Amino acid sequence: MFTDYSGMTQDKLTEKLLELRKKHVMAFQAGMSQDVVDQIQNMIDHLQIHMRSEAASDALRKAEEDGTDPDIDVLNIG
């Protein structure tokens, strides 16, 4: 259903995000069906979630390689 973004670099993902945002604006300005506009927005949301999870995975991987605690800045109140 959604495009597979795995294996793409952050630069390529950012380019894809900019492309989707341009298409979203064009679809909205052209008066396309709200369903089409909403689908493009869903694609943007999906890509942003993927980008955030990749960034978090990279940060966790880097912390493990450095031997640091990845949760050092998390406040545990429980």
Side-chain angles (χ1 to χ4, degrees):
M1 179 173 170
F2 289 105
T3 305
D4 182 23
Y5 298 114
S6 60
M8 293 177 74
T9 64
Q10 284 293 333
D11 291 336
K12 292 288 184 186
L13 291 171
T14 302
E15 288 176 20
K16 186 67 175 174
L17 181 62
L18 292 174
E19 177 186 326
L20 284 172
R21 285 185 177 162
K22 286 179 186 176
K23 288 181 180 182
H24 184 258
V25 169
M26 287 176 25
F28 183 77
Q29 290 176 343
M32 295 184 90
S33 165
Q34 189 62 39
D35 291 338
V36 173
V37 175
D38 289 345
Q39 182 61 34
I40 297 171
Q41 182 61 50
N42 287 340
M43 293 169 69
I44 291 170
D45 294 343
H46 177 74
L47 178 56
Q48 288 177 324
I49 290 169
H50 179 77
M51 291 174 73
R52 287 186 197 120
S53 79
E54 284 293 317
S57 295
D58 290 345
L60 180 62
R61 197 172 309 116
K62 185 176 183 282
E64 288 175 352
E65 289 173 359
D66 294 343
T68 59
D69 184 6
D71 295 327
I72 195 77
D73 60 347
V74 176
L75 177 62
N76 186 353
I77 59 172

